[in-house]
């Protein structure tokens, strides 16, 4: 049975800065994802703080929000069968050092903070995150 889902993906500032936007989009398309919405934006730190609210008690929260708002990002809605999980698999582990061969973070990630891409971690969070960036 098919289970078409949508998930939120972000190409983070370190990857946009290195002009990896098109390469990373090709990887998504080659892996069967449709990019149904996309925009290139730069967000305020205050917006990053809302987006990453689940991490507000973590020691890396301040740097994380400063980083996500430090330069242009590409925000996309990806669609595919089981998109949330499939995207997490394609992204690889949070720390690029732990990411498997063939994953986006293994290929492009610089460090645990500059790990090139974001992806929603559950269907519920995907809905919240898509709504955050693409309110109709
Ligand atoms: N992060 C960090 N230091 C850490 C853990 C996470 O800078 O020790 C950053 C990293 O950019 C990560 C983001 O915080 O992508 C969100 O963390 P999460 O645990 O949700 O990882 P993800 O879902 O992105 O794999
Ligand atoms: Mg996460």
């Amino acid at each position: 049975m098919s289970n078409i889902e949508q998930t939120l993906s972000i190409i983070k500032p370190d990857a946009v800065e290195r002009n990896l936007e098109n390469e990373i989009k090709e990887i998504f398309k080659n892996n069967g994802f449709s990019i149904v919405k996309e925009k290139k934006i730069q967000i305020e730190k205050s917006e990053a703080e809302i987006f990453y609210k689940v991490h507000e008690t973590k020691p890396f929260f301040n740097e994380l929000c400063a980083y996500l708002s430090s330069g242009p990002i590409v925000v996309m809605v990806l669609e595919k069968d089981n998109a949330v999980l499939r995207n997490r698999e394609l992204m690889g582990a949070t720390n690029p050092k732990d990411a498997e061969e063939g994953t986006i973070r293994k290929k492009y990630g610089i460090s645990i903070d500059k790990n090139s891409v974001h992806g929603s971690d559950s269907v519920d969070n995907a809905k919240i995150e898509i709504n955050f960036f693409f309110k109709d």
Side-chain angles (χ1 to χ4, degrees):
M1 231 176 61
S2 83
N3 177 42
I4 297 294
E5 293 174 351
Q6 293 190 339
T7 191
L8 187 89
S9 171
I10 303 176
I11 303 177
K12 293 183 176 182
D14 66 274
V16 174
E17 189 175 84
R18 287 176 287 151
N19 290 314
L20 295 170
E21 175 183 343
N22 289 336
E23 240 176 279
I24 291 174
K25 281 190 210 161
E26 281 308 304
I27 294 175
F28 288 127
K29 290 183 212 162
N30 291 339
N31 281 273
F33 290 91
S34 305
I35 301 172
V36 299
K37 289 182 186 173
E38 66 168 287
K39 59 182 178 183
K40 190 184 228 173
I41 53 172
Q42 181 162 359
I43 61 171
E44 298 291 335
K45 190 174 179 216
S46 57
E47 296 176 283
E49 286 166 355
I50 298 168
F51 179 73
Y52 273 132
K53 193 160 175 49
V54 297
H55 293 304
E56 68 184 338
T57 61
K58 309 270 172 64
F60 58 82
F61 180 66
N62 186 52
E63 278 186 84
L64 172 61
C65 296
Y67 166 63
L68 194 70
S69 58
S70 67
I73 58 176
V74 178
V75 188
M76 296 170 288
V77 177
L78 303 181
E79 190 172 280
K80 176 186 158 115
D81 208 54
N82 296 313
V84 173
L85 181 61
R86 294 283 100 84
N87 180 42
R88 295 292 304 192
E89 291 170 349
L90 184 58
M91 286 163 57
T94 306
N95 190 339
K97 285 186 190 138
D98 301 329
E100 283 182 43
E101 220 46 71
T103 63
I104 294 172
R105 283 168 165 174
K106 173 75 178 185
K107 192 163 186 202
Y108 302 114
I110 296 168
S111 57
I112 191 164
D113 48 326
K114 296 184 174 172
N115 58 8
S116 304
V117 281
H118 166 86
S120 309
D121 64 2
S122 68
V123 172
D124 285 349
N125 283 337
K127 287 180 183 150
I128 293 167
E129 292 179 358
I130 289 168
N131 189 53
F132 181 84
F133 283 110
F134 297 98
K135 284 189 198 76
D136 289 324

